[in-house]
Amino acid sequence: KQEVTQIPAALSVPEGENLVLNCSFTDSAIYNLQWFRQDPGKGLTSLLLIQSSQREQTSGRLNASLDKSSGRSTLYIAASQPGDSATYLCAGGMDSSYKLIFGSGTRLLVRP
Amino acid sequence: DTGVSQDPRHKITKRGQNVTFRCDPISEHNRLYWYRQTLGQGPEFLTYFQNEAQLEKSRLLSDRFSAERPKGSFSTLEIQRTEQGDSAMYLCASSPSRQLAKNIQYFGAGTRLSVL
């Protein structure tokens, strides 16, 4: 069974800090890895997608990396802002299927 | 609004009642997905359509659940004889058949179901 795990489950930081969210997966058959943001009671917004052939992707203050050999991905957020407060979910895409397998998320609070 | 649309946004029902949710995907997206998300957890895959064909179903989709996409456009998810354990957010996503990267999915805002 494919599993995706996110650590930590919750994180509270003061504004301006750089932070790292972790995602690990057990199945090397994961084809790509996506990071999503979810605000309370809302749907998911895709942030970054990393293909299995890539090592990292960047968008603004966000940088995501992927290491398939170790089964790990990280999301780095630079100079965090209160508006970054949300739940961040990672999801693995399988080569043999179109479904996404999600972790439980990291709830981030950035304090002003 | 050209995003994925879900209706209703919230549904409160009594145990044992049937409920139906609707999802309108992004225009011309031929792939449509349903996920379920319980509090504090990530979404779990339920089922996937390519056009009107239901190609994959999770074991989570018990016989009380049925999904359809009759004309390959909008989709409905019906839950019969609802149970309290069905309380969750039901998310719909869609993707085009031709895309630069497989597995990119665009999510709707979800339907939150509360079974009393």
Side-chain angles (χ1 to χ4, degrees), chain A residues 74-104:
Chain A
T74 60
L75 178 67
Y76 175 82
I77 303 177
S80 58
Q81 303 171 357
D84 295 330
S85 298
T87 295
Y88 291 81
L89 295 152
C90 68
M94 309 301 297
D95 190 31
S96 58
S97 168
Y98 284 92
K99 68 183 178 185
L100 295 175
I101 301 172
F102 283 86
S104 297

Side-chain angles (χ1 to χ4, degrees), chain A residues 1 31-32 34 36 38 41-44 46 49 51 89 93-100 102-105, chain B residues 9 31 33 35 37 40-43 45 48 50 56 59 89 91 100-105 107-110 112:
Chain A
K1 176 185 175 184
Y31 184 81
N32 53 33
Q34 294 181 62
F36 292 87
Q38 186 174 34
K42 301 294 178 66
L44 280 64
S46 180
L49 166 71
Q51 298 287 5
L89 295 152
M94 309 301 297
D95 190 31
S96 58
S97 168
Y98 284 92
K99 68 183 178 185
L100 295 175
F102 283 86
S104 297
Chain B
R9 292 293 311 278
R31 297 196 177 111
Y33 315 79
Y35 292 82
Q37 185 178 24
Q41 300 298 313
F45 171 79
Y48 150 64
Q50 181 159 318
E56 190 172 353
R59 58 179 172 78
M89 175 80 88
L91 293 163
L100 294 177
K102 185 183 173 186
N103 302 114
I104 291 181
Q105 297 174 17
F107 282 80
R112 180 169 296 284

Side-chain angles (χ1 to χ4, degrees), chain B:
Chain B
D1 183 11
T2 57
V4 177
S5 177
Q6 292 189 246
D7 183 71
R9 292 293 311 278
H10 304 277
K11 178 69 176 179
I12 300 174
T13 190
K14 292 183 179 179
R15 188 177 53 185
Q17 297 294 304
N18 299 342
V19 294
T20 300
F21 310 140
R22 175 178 171 128
C23 172
D24 287 90
I26 294 173
S27 178
E28 297 181 356
H29 279 194
N30 70 340
R31 297 196 177 111
L32 187 146
Y33 315 79
W34 285 99
Y35 292 82
R36 181 176 71 183
Q37 185 178 24
T38 54
L39 199 61
Q41 300 298 313
E44 295 176 289
F45 171 79
L46 292 178
T47 190
Y48 150 64
F49 290 86
Q50 181 159 318
N51 299 312
E52 65 276 7
Q54 189 173 19
L55 297 185
E56 190 172 353
K57 291 171 60 174
S58 163
R59 58 179 172 78
L60 294 175
L61 213 64
S62 74
D63 56 3
R64 295 185 299 106
F65 288 70
S66 63
E68 294 182 345
R69 195 181 183 200
K71 296 182 180 180
S73 56
F74 73 91
S75 175
T76 58
L77 177 66
E78 180 183 18
I79 308 174
Q80 296 181 330
R81 305 181 303 281
T82 53
E83 301 173 356
Q84 288 183 325
D86 297 331
S87 296
M89 175 80 88
Y90 290 84
L91 293 163
C92 177
S94 70
S95 64
S97 58
R98 296 185 131 191
Q99 54 187 1
L100 294 177
K102 185 183 173 186
N103 302 114
I104 291 181
Q105 297 174 17
Y106 301 83
F107 282 80
T111 293
R112 180 169 296 284
L113 173 66
S114 297
V115 181
L116 304 178

